[in-house]
Amino acid sequence: VPEYYSKQWLKDLLKYHLIHLEGNDKIAFRHQLIQEYYTAEELKKKLPHLRDEQLQWDYLNYLKWTEPMALLLGLLDNETQAKRVVKLGLEIDLKLGARLAGEVNFEFQKQTVGLVLGLDVPKRFKVELLGLTKSNEVVNELLKALKDSDWGVRSSAAEALAEIGSETAIPGLLKALEDSNVFVRRYAAKSLGEIGSETAIAGLLKALEHSDWYVRKKAAEVLGKIGSETAIPGLLKALEDSNSDVRRNAAFALGKIGS
């Protein structure tokens, strides 16, 4: 009976302190995420009636509104309004605007991420902003940046790809393990760890023999995270590595695989 289940669910919500009653006619939500979601729904109703200045001064300008605004953008099915919020966010703070650009419905992200791509800022900073979007729409742009002549841009691109976690970045990141710059190599290794996909196993086994001990260490760590038995021979060999961190990570990885 629907009425019976409704009452049981309400009792459970009260029992676990997700809601509490205020008087006879009001329910308060204690969990922050629930509060933010309902706030975002209310804001969605208000949005068409808010002037640009109001939206910036009263909402986008305050840290406490960042999460409700991000949730709001996921609820919006109006492309014009989504672009409007992102554009106004970029005017307030570039990092805020970049974050919001990646929060809109996927079908609008090409347009909102395009606003970030069009910014007239130094290349390294733009790469950082693209990472903040966490959108798959920027992966190709970041892969291009992995080949930039400036090592700072390359390292930022490798770091940014970790934020997105797309498997399509794996070939580029594996290639970046051979970069001439130590920071690029290490950020690439770290990003491969964040993605943690089986498609990277062959490249990671090769990385176990890299001249940079940090790359070897991260490769062993990631192979343990992936947990494939195909990595066992390479990890056993890594137990004889000259670096103690590499040996330790190889041992931990073998323990995780547990074959």
Side-chain angles (χ1 to χ4, degrees):
V1 182
E3 187 180 345
Y4 168 79
Y5 286 114
S6 298
K7 285 180 180 176
Q8 284 300 114
W9 291 334
L10 279 170
K11 282 178 183 175
D12 285 343
L13 288 169
L14 283 165
K15 179 181 175 182
Y16 294 105
H17 309 292
L18 291 170
I19 64 172
H20 70 276
L21 301 176
E22 290 188 350
N24 295 321
D25 60 347
K26 285 185 180 177
I27 294 174
F29 298 97
R30 286 183 169 172
H31 196 287
Q32 187 176 341
L33 187 59
I34 300 174
Q35 292 172 1
E36 288 167 350
Y37 175 79
Y38 281 109
T39 302
E41 284 215 322
E42 285 301 308
L43 198 52
K44 184 183 176 185
K45 297 173 194 172
K46 279 187 173 185
L47 188 62
H49 311 291
L50 291 172
R51 290 178 291 107
D52 288 355
E53 292 85 355
Q54 273 182 294
L55 193 53
Q56 285 182 316
W57 295 345
D58 297 339
Y59 298 96
L60 291 167
N61 203 34
Y62 288 94
L63 190 61
K64 67 180 181 180
W65 282 102
T66 301
E67 295 309 318
M69 291 302 293
L71 286 167
L72 162 70
L73 286 166
L75 297 172
L76 284 180
D77 49 14
N78 183 308
E79 183 183 339
T80 305
Q81 287 288 9
K83 283 178 74 175
R84 174 191 173 216
V85 174
V86 172
K87 191 176 177 185
L88 293 172
L90 285 166
E91 288 176 12
I92 291 281
D93 181 272
L94 293 178
K95 289 187 176 182
L96 168 68
R99 156 87 195 278
L100 296 178
E103 294 288 352
V104 304
N105 278 338
F106 182 73
E107 57 192 294
F108 307 146
Q109 280 186 22
K110 190 171 185 178
Q111 288 72 30
T112 54
V113 167
L115 295 172
V116 180
L117 279 167
L119 292 171
D120 185 17
V121 294
K123 196 182 288 187
R124 187 171 181 176
F125 183 43
K126 186 179 286 189
V127 164
E128 183 186 342
L129 292 174
L130 292 175
L132 289 173
T133 68
K134 296 186 180 179
S135 170
N136 282 318
E137 289 290 333
V138 305
V139 172
N140 286 337
E141 198 66 32
L142 291 174
L143 287 172
K144 281 184 204 169
L146 273 181
K147 301 173 184 174
D148 197 88
S149 58
D150 182 341
W151 72 264
V153 172
R154 299 198 304 276
S155 67
S156 290
E159 188 176 15
L161 284 164
E163 296 288 328
I164 298 159
S166 171
E167 290 192 13
T168 56
I170 288 173
L173 287 168
L174 287 170
K175 196 172 179 185
L177 291 178
E178 303 302 324
D179 196 275
S180 58
N181 183 274
V182 61
F183 294 108
V184 178
R185 295 196 299 268
R186 293 181 178 189
Y187 277 126
K190 187 180 174 187
S191 292
L192 285 164
E194 295 295 322
I195 296 169
S197 168
E198 288 195 14
T199 56
I201 289 174
L204 289 167
L205 286 170
K206 188 180 174 188
L208 281 178
E209 299 176 8
H210 201 283
S211 58
D212 185 337
W213 69 269
Y214 185 90
V215 172
R216 301 198 302 276
K217 168 190 161 183
K218 288 303 287 187
E221 181 187 319
V222 180
L223 287 165
K225 183 179 175 183
I226 295 168
S228 170
E229 292 189 9
T230 57
I232 290 173
L235 288 168
L236 286 170
K237 192 176 176 185
L239 290 176
E240 305 297 323
D241 196 276
S242 59
N243 182 278
S244 62
D245 285 337
V246 178
R247 296 196 299 271
R248 187 182 295 111
N249 277 11
F252 277 129
L254 286 163
K256 282 184 179 179
I257 295 169
S259 168

